[in-house]
Amino acid sequence: MREPVRAERVSEHLNRALHDVLAADPAVHVLGEDIADPYGGAFKITKGLSSRFGERVRSTPISESAIVGAGAGLALGGDKAIVEIMFADFAALAFDQLLNFASKSTAMYGRPVPMPLIVRCPSGGRRGYGPTHSQSPQKHFLGVPGLSVLELTPFHDARALLEDGFAAGRPALLFEDKVLYTRRMFRDGVVDELFRYEPPDRPDGVVRVGVEGVTGYDCTIIAPGGMAHRALEAMRELLLEHDVLCELLVPARLYPFDLGGLLPRGRHVCVAEDGPAGGTWGAEVATRLYPVLWGRLARPITLVSAADSIIPAAPHLEREVLVHAHTIRLAVLEALA
Amino acid sequence: MTRTPVSPARPPLEPVAGPAGPPALGPLDAADLDRLLLIRHFENALLRLFGEGLLSGTTHTCLGQEHVPVALNPLLREDDFTFSHHRGHGHFLARYPEEAPALLAEIMGRRGALCDGVGGSQHVYHRTFMSTGVQGESLPVAVGMALRLRRAGHGALACAYLGDGTWGEGSVYEALNLAALWNAPLLVVVENNGIAQSTPTERGMAGTIAGRVAAFGLPYRRVESIDLAAVRAELAGPVAAVRKEASPLVVEFVTRRLGPHSKGDDTRTADELRRARAGDWYERYAAAFPRAFAAADATWRGYVDDLVAEVSSRPPALWTVR
């Protein structure tokens, strides 16, 4: 008897997507620190690319500003560029290139200038890497005209997401929760024995996770891809232990945020993210949703985020700061109480 | 629409012998003189317009530095990509003198502006010319563009202008490192005018540009002359090598800024200003080619006056937020 084929890991999925994107389009380049073989990148996401695609895949010096700028230069000249920032925290070193060059150039010359540039940012904690290697800095890149903020999820096809990002002609950051790399992709609409999902209607659209045949929910959780497993765990416990029925919406595009016509079906809404409290993505999502949901919301949208804190290195201290499944579960229970 | 005057093609002017002074100038093409004078009068007109309250925001003139892009112009090809910065009008006009009306309209926010009035003085994109307003920002971009051009295989290069003040920015060194490692056909043109806004170079730069370039093992040239023919003779070979060998080159022009950084913000003493004006190409070329210079000078002064009047009369630029 043959064993059932398991879904690929997110890291394998993303690596395959990069291989496919480079194979399909000779204009695509990949730049990043230590991305060449045999090392293949700090998280092995670029493994095999330099062996197969030669100079189109370059290991770079430690120079986030220059490599994002060089990617923008390639894009300006008619190529397409994917830049890997080894840890999302270091995207701060390239902020000028993102804020003042790549994103502004799409519009500040009075006409659309395509800038097919995707900056990949392995993000998030729960690995004990400490304060400068564990952040989820997505919120710092929200609200930049011309700049898209995307996040990898275990539901969305990575190749489609990359190609769609290039086609949009505006630079994008793609955040990738490092813990997600080791998890497996979901497929065929099945999450587990309880939950099913509807695939997105477009590569960067919203995935809806719920219980088959159910349309009314106690709560709709909205969470980016890196939070999806924790949200699912919370939903399972809420259903089995508290009889609270939740659905989950997972967007691949955090900014500009758009539910794409999918309205939350819960009587309450909770937005969960792993960035620190204050000026958050969740606040942006809530602001976008209030005008739409005002008439039927019984209480304010609940925002779940990490503590307003740096992220300690010691695992037991790090746990105090970041969002867990139980953080979401308690927030939903408290809101519905 | 004001038409750009075009000098008829004729042999280069030969300089008249002057009294003992600075070294004699080489021959001068009428088209070069046209470009020099267009830029000079264009920039003077901007300062006048500022004084009259007719320009908004800020703008930075290149008075005293006009000869740099004019000297480089024939060394650059149509498909070379030029990156300029906040003091870029001269870089643009040396390449596209016929677009002077569109540039002025851009700076004044009038109809017919190069970038619909969105970019203004500091952010211009036209064909293979782009300027940005953040110091050092375009050098990494130029490296990426140079890689792209090298791959295309036609021998085009990326040319990036920098000021001396920009050497305080880390991006410059990141980009030079990449350019050296990756054999990028990148021409870095440094206009060292001795002052960054209000800070003299000696108070803003430890060591020298030559020393910093040497640290990356890159070829370097220092140019002090304002003589277009001499500058070209010196740089033709090295610039050709950038194309042929796809290797970066840094050229430092020792130059002078006659005007303020932006508008009324010149803190230099009268003596410092007098020293800056000494050796200005305008005086030297006027002395060496008195008749041809005077005629061309009058032509371009009149052209820019007409241009200012014509562009000023245009309706405001139109742009839709997007």
Side-chain angles (χ1 to χ4, degrees):
Chain A
M1 202 175 109
R2 287 172 59 188
E3 291 214 358
V5 181
R6 300 184 74 186
E8 59 191 349
R9 291 191 193 279
V10 172
S11 58
E12 295 161 354
H13 177 78
L14 183 55
N15 176 256
R16 185 168 58 82
L18 290 167
H19 272 275
D20 290 350
V21 168
L22 280 153
D25 187 348
V28 177
H29 298 252
V30 183
L31 306 174
E33 293 157 20
D34 300 293
I35 64 168
D37 293 331
Y39 189 62
F43 299 99
K44 312 301 170 201
I45 305 302
T46 55
K47 205 154 185 61
L49 295 178
S50 67
S51 303
R52 188 170 165 200
F53 299 103
E55 279 212 326
R56 286 166 58 202
V57 179
R58 287 174 186 271
S59 266
T60 71
I62 302 170
S63 304
E64 282 77 10
S65 171
I67 61 180
V68 171
L74 288 165
L76 181 66
D79 279 337
K80 301 182 176 87
I82 296 170
V83 176
E84 176 178 298
I85 301 292
M86 191 184 282
F87 286 81
D89 314 64
F90 313 155
L93 292 156
F95 193 55
D96 172 62
Q97 288 293 339
L98 293 163
L99 175 76
N100 284 320
F101 187 78
S103 60
K104 282 200 177 93
S105 292
T106 61
M108 77 172 172
Y109 297 108
R111 60 190 183 280
V113 174
M115 190 60 71
L117 168 70
I118 297 172
V119 180
R120 297 184 36 243
C121 301
S123 61
R126 300 184 292 154
R127 299 274 297 248
Y129 286 139
T132 62
H133 291 63
S134 306
Q135 296 169 95
S136 296
Q138 288 88 327
K139 72 176 185 184
H140 299 298
F141 299 91
L142 302 182
V144 178
L147 185 65
S148 294
V149 179
L150 309 174
E151 184 160 333
L152 195 69
T153 93
F155 298 100
H156 290 77
D157 182 76
R159 176 182 176 174
L161 196 60
L162 291 167
E163 290 180 339
D164 187 64
F166 281 148
R170 51 191 269 158
L173 287 153
L174 174 62
F175 286 93
E176 305 167 0
D177 193 315
K178 298 188 279 277
V179 172
L180 203 54
Y181 289 147
T182 60
R183 307 298 298 260
R184 292 187 187 277
M185 296 292 290
F186 293 114
R187 62 178 189 193
D188 305 328
V190 178
V191 172
D192 57 21
E193 72 289 355
L194 288 177
F195 298 109
R196 300 290 177 268
Y197 72 91
E198 299 161 29
D201 60 350
R202 40 171 293 120
D204 62 350
V206 179
V207 166
R208 177 169 234 160
V209 184
V211 177
E212 202 160 19
V214 174
T215 53
Y217 290 86
D218 297 308
C219 180
T220 296
I221 299 170
I222 302 175
M227 186 61 76
H229 289 100
R230 282 170 277 173
L232 288 166
E233 188 185 334
M235 287 161 64
R236 199 174 299 119
E237 290 167 357
L238 283 163
L239 184 57
L240 298 179
E241 296 169 27
H242 304 278
D243 209 21
V244 169
L245 194 53
C246 296
E247 67 164 356
L248 170 67
L249 300 178
V250 183
R253 171 180 296 279
L254 306 189
Y255 191 87
F257 179 75
D258 180 5
L259 278 178
L262 285 186
L263 277 186
R265 296 177 295 189
R267 58 192 173 89
H268 179 60
V269 173
C270 169
V271 188
E273 67 192 302
D274 225 0
T280 60
W281 174 72
E284 165 72 9
V285 172
T287 303
R288 305 274 295 188
L289 290 181
Y290 276 128
V292 185
L293 302 179
W294 195 249
R296 66 180 185 83
L297 283 175
R299 56 182 67 78
I301 293 171
T302 302
L303 302 184
V304 174
S305 53
D308 173 15
S309 165
I310 49 89
I311 301 170
H316 68 287
L317 301 176
E318 185 187 43
R319 271 198 295 278
E320 297 290 311
V321 168
L322 299 178
V323 173
H324 308 278
H326 65 83
T327 325
I328 301 171
R329 182 178 55 158
L330 291 176
V332 171
L333 285 175
E334 190 179 331
L336 294 176
Chain B
M1 180 72 77
T2 314
R3 294 210 174 276
T4 316
V6 178
S7 291
R10 55 179 186 271
L13 305 163
E14 290 298 330
V16 297
L25 292 169
L28 177 65
D29 277 320
D32 287 332
L33 183 57
D34 289 347
R35 281 181 163 82
L36 287 171
L37 292 169
L38 164 64
I39 302 170
R40 173 64 53 107
H41 291 298
F42 189 95
E43 299 289 58
N44 276 329
L46 291 184
L47 288 184
R48 270 202 315 277
L49 287 166
F50 254 125
E52 293 163 17
L54 294 172
L55 295 190
S56 61
T58 187
T59 200
H60 312 89
T61 65
C62 66
L63 292 163
Q65 305 177 190
E66 297 92 335
H67 61 289
V68 176
V70 174
L72 288 170
N73 188 55
L75 303 183
L76 296 179
R77 301 186 341 196
E78 207 44 49
D79 57 350
D80 289 340
F81 203 103
T82 301
F83 290 92
S84 177
H85 46 66
H86 66 297
R87 199 181 300 288
H89 309 150
H91 305 154
F92 180 83
L93 292 171
R95 267 198 113 173
Y96 305 113
E98 69 283 1
E99 299 291 355
L103 178 63
L104 185 59
E106 182 63 41
I107 294 166
M108 298 191 77
R110 303 300 170 120
R111 208 71 62 85
L114 270 172
C115 301
D116 288 352
V118 184
S121 168
Q122 304 186 57
H123 319 98
V124 170
Y125 184 21
H126 177 68
R127 295 169 67 179
T128 54
F129 177 97
M130 177 178 267
S131 62
T132 71
V134 178
Q135 302 310 305
E137 177 178 82
S138 65
L139 206 52
V141 181
V143 171
M145 178 62 78
L147 290 181
R148 160 81 181 166
L149 294 172
R150 191 187 70 193
R151 214 162 68 93
H154 305 304
L157 57 77
C159 167
Y161 286 95
L162 302 183
D164 48 282
T166 307
W167 292 73
E169 288 289 350
S171 278
V172 170
Y173 304 95
E174 293 190 16
L176 288 177
N177 190 38
L178 285 189
L181 290 170
W182 294 350
N183 296 323
L186 174 70
L187 171 63
V188 180
V189 179
V190 189
E191 293 164 311
N192 184 349
N193 61 20
I195 188 164
Q197 186 149 351
S198 70
T199 304
T201 306
E202 62 270 19
R203 283 175 52 195
M205 184 185 299
T208 61
I209 290 171
R212 294 176 185 208
V213 175
F216 290 96
L218 289 174
Y220 163 87
R221 293 277 171 156
R222 178 181 166 97
V223 177
E224 298 197 30
S225 176
I226 55 93
D227 180 352
L228 301 185
V231 173
R232 284 173 195 159
E234 187 178 343
L235 294 183
V239 171
V242 174
R243 301 180 194 288
K244 194 155 172 280
E245 293 155 31
S247 66
L249 167 69
V250 178
V251 180
E252 178 183 5
F253 280 84
V254 177
T255 181
R256 53 193 67 73
R257 194 189 81 203
L258 303 183
H261 166 70
S262 50
K263 21 191 179 174
D265 62 358
D266 209 334
T267 51
R268 291 175 290 183
T269 62
D271 197 43
E272 286 170 319
L273 284 172
R274 207 165 25 249
R275 277 204 302 277
R277 277 195 297 272
D280 179 21
W281 62 265
Y282 185 89
E283 307 296 340
R284 292 195 56 204
Y285 273 117
F289 307 93
R291 287 179 57 185
F293 190 98
D297 195 41
T299 299
W300 286 100
R301 193 186 301 271
Y303 166 76
V304 171
D305 285 347
D306 292 348
L307 186 63
V308 167
E310 190 271 310
V311 172
S312 300
S313 71
R314 295 186 193 181
L318 294 176
W319 179 69
T320 312
V321 175
R322 56 181 178 262

